[in-house]
Amino acid sequence: MKMNNKIALEEHFATEEFLEDVKPYFIREGTWEINRDTIVDITGKRLEIMDAAGIEMTILSLSSPAIQGFRKLDDAISAARRINDYLYNVIRDHRDRFAAFAAVPTQDAQAAIDELTRCVKEYDFKGALINGWCMPEGEDEPVYLDDERYLPFWAAVEELGVPIYLHPRPTSKEVANFEFKNHYWMQNAAWGWHMQTGTHVLRLIGSGLFDKYPKLKLVIGHMGEGLPYMLWRTNNRVATHKRDCKVEKPIPYYFNNNIWITTSAHCSTPALTCAMMEMSSDRIMFSTDYPYDTMEQSAEWFDNIPFSETDKEKMGRLNAKNLFNL
């Protein structure tokens, strides 16, 4: 049975400013001219496709790597503010169909706090989507969000009460040239992005972040970036070989208290079954990863999964509605 009021929340856009960043993602998926028009569109064809797929509302985010791709702080701050202002003005007359995640300059914790706070309080944005690590000017290696410099940021996020969506970005060149040499096909969406983001999530957990800020809300996509499948194994090893892991509770605890996942671009019923058994249907939300995957494929799969209408209603819309106060 088709569900006509789904909410999707890993849905991307770009502007002319960021087209060169996203162009490589589309090379093998058709002509660039068509895809270019697709990703910059927000209130045109996108709405028609949403209607056809039974998607009532979308939470929009700037496509990866976005603001995290900048090295200079001033550039990151001005770009984030420019993008957030643009998105607010585009969707302000369509708030029944669109909400937004802020783009934030994580090159500096206070700058990220300031921009997130502005967007939440002035624009009613529903949180922020962060595209993984960044490499601020002066750094020689990627900086992840478990770094102690971000503790004030996470404290502010907890106080604001909004979720952070942690999204993949391309692997650093140094890692890619070593890990994926002669196999660059797996560097991004086929494998590398998900393992990178799953590792980032475990870094956050293992740093003790959720013990310091127990009300934090983190969302990850692609059916949990492989983590639900590995929870028992990871937790068992930490329990017997804790080493420098700083968690105070079992690893699965955080997946049932601080973390939500989405189905974005992962239309696998067995994978969803695993996630439901590990986390319950209360912590899973529908998404499509448009325009990198199609709304049609995700919607057709989700509408026909062999689960109860109660679970489908929760995953399709109610969980998102409650989490983001829609």
Side-chain angles (χ1 to χ4, degrees):
M1 181 184 297
K2 182 176 180 180
M3 185 177 177
N4 286 312
N5 55 359
K6 295 185 289 292
I7 296 171
L9 51 118
E10 188 184 318
E11 319 303 317
H12 309 295
F13 76 98
T15 64
E16 297 283 343
E17 180 178 0
F18 292 95
L19 286 181
E20 288 303 311
D21 285 349
V22 303
K23 187 176 181 179
Y25 306 156
F26 290 105
I27 292 294
R28 298 178 183 176
E29 300 184 23
T31 64
W32 169 237
E33 289 73 18
I34 294 173
N35 289 314
R36 177 192 177 283
D37 292 342
T38 297
I39 198 164
V40 299
D41 166 67
I42 293 180
T43 59
K45 185 70 173 178
R46 186 187 298 253
L47 274 173
E48 296 177 17
I49 299 173
M50 287 170 59
D51 289 341
I55 297 173
E56 177 184 353
M57 175 173 279
T58 283
I59 304 181
L60 295 165
S61 56
L62 180 63
S63 187
S64 176
I67 307 304
Q68 278 61 61
F70 287 91
R71 298 212 63 185
K72 293 184 178 180
L73 176 59
D74 289 347
D75 291 344
I77 291 173
S78 61
R81 189 177 187 93
R82 194 160 57 246
I83 283 294
N84 293 327
D85 290 348
Y86 167 80
L87 184 55
Y88 170 74
N89 286 319
V90 170
I91 69 172
R92 64 190 305 176
D93 294 329
H94 302 274
R95 295 310 288 264
D96 59 327
R97 305 302 303 276
F98 294 112
F101 288 124
V104 295
T106 51
Q107 290 77 0
D108 178 79
Q110 188 58 52
I113 293 169
D114 292 344
E115 186 59 16
L116 177 60
T117 302
R118 182 180 80 92
C119 289
V120 170
K121 292 188 174 181
E122 295 183 17
Y123 290 165
D124 192 31
F125 281 14
K126 301 306 178 180
L129 185 141
I130 300 175
N131 290 292
W133 55 273
C134 68
M135 194 183 298
E137 191 173 22
E139 299 283 352
D140 296 323
E141 297 178 347
V143 179
Y144 289 79
L145 293 166
D146 62 298
D147 192 288
E148 289 190 355
R149 75 187 72 181
Y150 291 115
L151 288 178
F153 171 74
W154 290 115
V157 170
E158 184 182 56
E159 185 175 351
L160 286 168
V162 295
I164 297 296
Y165 200 121
L166 185 61
H167 185 272
R169 64 164 292 183
T171 307
S172 66
K173 291 181 180 179
E174 293 78 10
V175 171
N177 289 339
F178 174 77
E179 195 80 12
F180 302 113
K181 185 177 181 180
N182 299 323
H183 291 280
Y184 291 105
W185 62 270
M186 71 169 87
Q187 177 179 342
N188 292 329
W191 179 256
W193 277 359
H194 314 299
M195 298 307 100
Q196 176 199 105
T197 306
T199 298
H200 202 157
V201 172
L202 291 179
R203 289 178 66 130
L204 295 174
I205 294 172
S207 72
L209 178 69
F210 297 108
D211 300 307
K212 292 184 180 75
Y213 306 112
K215 295 181 181 179
L216 280 181
K217 304 169 187 177
L218 185 72
V219 183
I220 53 176
H222 313 113
M223 208 70 77
E225 311 290 13
L227 291 170
Y229 185 82
M230 288 296 296
L231 272 183
W232 187 92
R233 168 72 170 170
T234 302
N235 184 62
N236 185 61
R237 295 305 289 180
V238 170
T240 57
H241 301 75
K242 191 171 184 180
R243 297 188 174 94
D244 57 349
C245 183
K246 299 176 182 178
V247 291
E248 297 178 3
K249 300 178 177 66
I251 300 291
Y253 173 88
Y254 305 98
F255 283 82
N256 286 284
N257 288 274
N258 302 99
I259 297 172
W260 286 255
I261 71 172
T262 78
T263 65
S264 57
H266 200 317
C267 303
S268 167
T269 302
L272 177 58
T273 302
C274 172
M276 290 172 69
M277 293 180 72
E278 288 288 356
M279 303 177 65
S280 88
S281 58
D282 293 334
R283 309 193 78 80
I284 302 171
M285 299 176 287
F286 171 78
S287 288
T288 79
D289 210 354
Y290 180 85
Y292 300 115
D293 282 80
T294 69
M295 294 188 205
E296 295 92 334
Q297 181 184 49
S298 293
E300 182 178 1
W301 165 72
F302 186 84
D303 290 343
N304 291 285
I305 53 177
F307 299 129
S308 71
E309 293 304 311
T310 298
D311 281 333
K312 290 169 69 173
E313 183 75 8
K314 285 194 291 186
M315 294 185 291
R317 70 184 308 270
L318 292 182
N319 294 341
K321 186 174 182 180
N322 293 334
L323 181 61
F324 296 104
N325 296 313
L326 299 173

